Amino acid sequence: MILNAEDAQQRALAFKALADPNRLRLLSIVKAGSDGGTCVCDLTEPLDLGQPTVSHHLKILVDAGLLHREKRGTWAYYSLVPGALEQTAGLLASL
Amino acid sequence: MILNAEDAQQRALAFKALADPNRLRLLSIVKAGSDGGTCVCDLTEPLDLGQPTVSHHLKILVDAGLLHREKRGTWAYYSLVPGALEQTAGLLASL
DNA sequence: CACATAGATTGACATGCGTCGATATGTTTG
DNA sequence: CAAACATATCGACGCATGTCAATCTATGTG
């Protein structure tokens, strides 16, 4: 059965979120970080990007369901949504 | 270990190729087709796109190493590169 | 309350990308 | 060779996207 237009559109959104090198690096850093999450301040420096740009990329990853955002006090902690990467990988197998 | 800039760039290229609904549908149609490959004429109609646009998308998929192109006579037959989708899916697990 | 700090949002700009029409290339047929 | 056909390439257009500087929001601290 071939993919219909709506399903294709939705899956493309997931891959669009992964289609940027800096977002892949963000995911990598968050994945390597502690379970409590990684704060934005620890993400800005290694990527050599401005803070607004990092916030922008993080928002895209949260909207795509890949990252979870939790605010504690002044800081925002980002963590991987469990299983989200595996689920996205599964989208390829079921093409 | 966090992803370095070059690796991130290269992986992003793979996901960029998947980040378009019409390209996902092309992959789906080719996957569902016969082993001998699917010709462009069979790809243009179901996507409701012009022939140059389909050729353009196919080129991107070939450049990404996902599709193989074989010309037989006047027709060009496209087929999935064995294991390519699985390998791309694997890029996510190793972030 | 005044101020500092972390992060998000906005607006602007340049670049990239999907699409199309027109054209070029190459192959088959008469 | 000429005509028809399948596919690729080119040029242009509009829209999406990544980035930054400036600003806003909210939380803490004197």
Side-chain angles (χ1 to χ4, degrees):
Chain A
M1 205 46 204
I2 82 160
L3 204 57
N4 67 43
E6 299 161 41
D7 286 353
Q9 174 84 32
Q10 195 166 356
R11 294 184 194 209
L13 283 179
F15 293 117
K16 264 194 235 284
L18 297 168
D20 179 272
N22 287 318
R23 285 198 289 273
L24 291 177
R25 299 190 78 195
L26 284 173
L27 288 173
S28 165
I29 296 171
V30 169
K31 185 180 183 184
S34 68
D35 288 350
T38 311
C39 76
V40 180
C41 56
D42 290 334
L43 294 168
T44 305
E45 182 222 325
L47 259 63
D48 198 31
L49 287 178
Q51 173 264 320
T53 303
V54 172
S55 267
H56 172 240
H57 285 311
L58 288 169
K59 178 169 169 43
I60 289 175
L61 291 170
V62 169
D63 289 348
L66 295 168
L67 285 187
H68 172 247
R69 177 181 184 269
E70 183 189 0
K71 189 160 186 187
R72 289 203 296 270
T74 312
W75 296 275
Y77 292 88
Y78 287 86
S79 54
L80 280 185
V81 169
L85 286 176
E86 291 78 2
Q87 187 177 346
T88 304
L91 292 180
L92 281 180
S94 63
L95 272 183
Chain B
M1 205 48 203
I2 84 160
L3 205 56
N4 67 42
E6 300 161 41
D7 285 353
Q9 174 85 31
Q10 193 166 356
R11 295 185 193 208
L13 283 180
F15 292 118
K16 264 194 236 283
L18 298 168
D20 179 90
N22 288 317
R23 285 198 289 272
L24 291 177
R25 298 189 77 195
L26 285 173
L27 287 173
S28 164
I29 296 172
V30 170
K31 184 180 183 183
S34 69
D35 287 351
T38 311
C39 76
V40 180
C41 56
D42 290 334
L43 293 168
T44 305
E45 183 222 324
L47 260 62
D48 198 33
L49 286 178
Q51 173 265 317
T53 303
V54 173
S55 267
H56 172 241
H57 286 310
L58 288 169
K59 179 169 168 43
I60 290 175
L61 291 169
V62 169
D63 289 348
L66 295 168
L67 285 187
H68 172 246
R69 177 181 183 269
E70 183 189 1
K71 190 158 187 189
R72 291 203 295 269
T74 313
W75 295 275
Y77 292 88
Y78 288 87
S79 54
L80 281 186
V81 169
L85 287 177
E86 292 77 2
Q87 186 179 345
T88 305
L91 292 180
L92 281 181
S94 63
L95 273 184

